[in-house]
């Protein structure tokens, strides 16, 4: 069935402005292609205790190429499809709960074991042995229809959605 699956998530109180049947667009970060993985061996922190780099137990491929508009001579580009690709990491704890969402890295294109984060991140539970997936990042959007929305505390709402499924209305 086209709408056999539902997606539930918690959103801020502003989501309470939605009504059942509203069309929304859900956006989240993700890794495009799984390019590598490893486990955290160590990490570097700045003076504020924020993580600035992660060292893995394995070498992983990194692709950080300038955007098309930043290239002065396109003819000198070896792989035009790589332009604009930026590698990111997604960390996961032993219990499967994400430590952080997708974090971009500034490490140069090549093979690396130590990945420098583009922006220092607050240490939210990173630990030795945490699983790290590495790959080009992007944002994914999905059009959904609100099936149910309920208050979930003072400043949150629990939203349940189903796929927009425009094919249901094709030809009508």
């Amino acid at each position: 069935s086209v709408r056999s699956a539902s997606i539930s998530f918690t959103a801020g109180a502003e989501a309470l402005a939605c009504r059942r049947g509203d069309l929304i667009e859900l956006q989240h970060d993700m890794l495009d292609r799984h390019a590598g993985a490893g486990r955290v061996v160590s990490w570097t922190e700045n003076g504020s205790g924020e993580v600035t780099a992660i060292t893995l137990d394995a070498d992983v491929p990194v692709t950080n190429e300038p955007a098309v508009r930043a290239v002065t001579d396109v003819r000198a580009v070896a792989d035009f499809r790589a332009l604009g690709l930026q590698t990111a990491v997604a960390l996961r704890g032993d219990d499967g709960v994400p430590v952080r969402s997708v974090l971009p890295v500034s490490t140069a294109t090549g093979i690396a074991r130590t990945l420098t984060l583009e922006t220092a991140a607050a240490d939210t539970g990173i630990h030795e042995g945490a699983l790290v997936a590495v790959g080009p990042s992007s944002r994914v959007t999905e059009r959904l229809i609100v099936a149910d929305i309920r208050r979930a505390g003072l400043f949150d709402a629990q939203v349940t959605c189903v796929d927009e499924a425009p094919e249901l209305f094709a030809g009508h």
Side-chain angles (χ1 to χ4, degrees), residues 12 14 27 34 40 45 48 56 59 64 72 75-76 82 85 95 99 110 115 119 123 129 131 139 148 150 167 169 172:
E14 63 275 3
Q27 176 178 310
H34 178 72
V40 173
E45 295 180 354
S48 301
L56 305 179
D59 292 332
N64 280 324
T72 54
R75 294 170 296 185
L85 288 181
D95 57 0
V99 175
L115 305 170
T119 305
D123 178 4
L131 182 62
R139 290 191 174 246
D148 188 35
R150 297 171 191 232
E167 60 273 18
F169 305 102
H172 292 312

Side-chain angles (χ1 to χ4, degrees), residues 12-26:
E14 63 275 3
L16 291 171
C18 289
R19 302 260 186 246
R20 189 184 328 210
D22 282 355
L23 178 65
I24 66 168
E25 186 170 69
L26 180 67

Side-chain angles (χ1 to χ4, degrees), residues 12-139:
E14 63 275 3
L16 291 171
C18 289
R19 302 260 186 246
R20 189 184 328 210
D22 282 355
L23 178 65
I24 66 168
E25 186 170 69
L26 180 67
Q27 176 178 310
H28 56 89
D29 294 320
M30 69 164 286
L31 298 180
D32 265 348
R33 295 181 291 272
H34 178 72
R39 294 208 175 262
V40 173
V41 173
S42 64
W43 58 94
T44 306
E45 295 180 354
N46 61 18
S48 301
E50 298 170 314
V51 177
T52 58
I54 300 168
T55 301
L56 305 179
D57 65 352
D59 292 332
V60 293
V62 175
T63 305
N64 280 324
E65 296 297 326
V68 174
R69 293 181 183 186
V71 175
T72 54
D73 184 5
V74 178
R75 294 170 296 185
V77 174
D79 185 0
F80 193 76
R81 294 172 299 162
L83 289 177
L85 288 181
Q86 182 177 22
T87 293
V89 297
L91 292 106
R92 189 181 75 175
D94 294 333
D95 57 0
V97 176
V99 175
R100 294 276 302 177
S101 58
V102 177
L103 301 170
V105 300
S106 61
T107 307
T109 296
I111 302 297
R113 188 171 286 232
T114 298
L115 305 170
T116 302
L117 299 182
E118 186 175 273
T119 305
D123 178 4
T124 58
I126 189 169
H127 62 280
E128 189 173 335
L131 182 62
V132 178
V134 180
S137 67
S138 67
R139 290 191 174 246

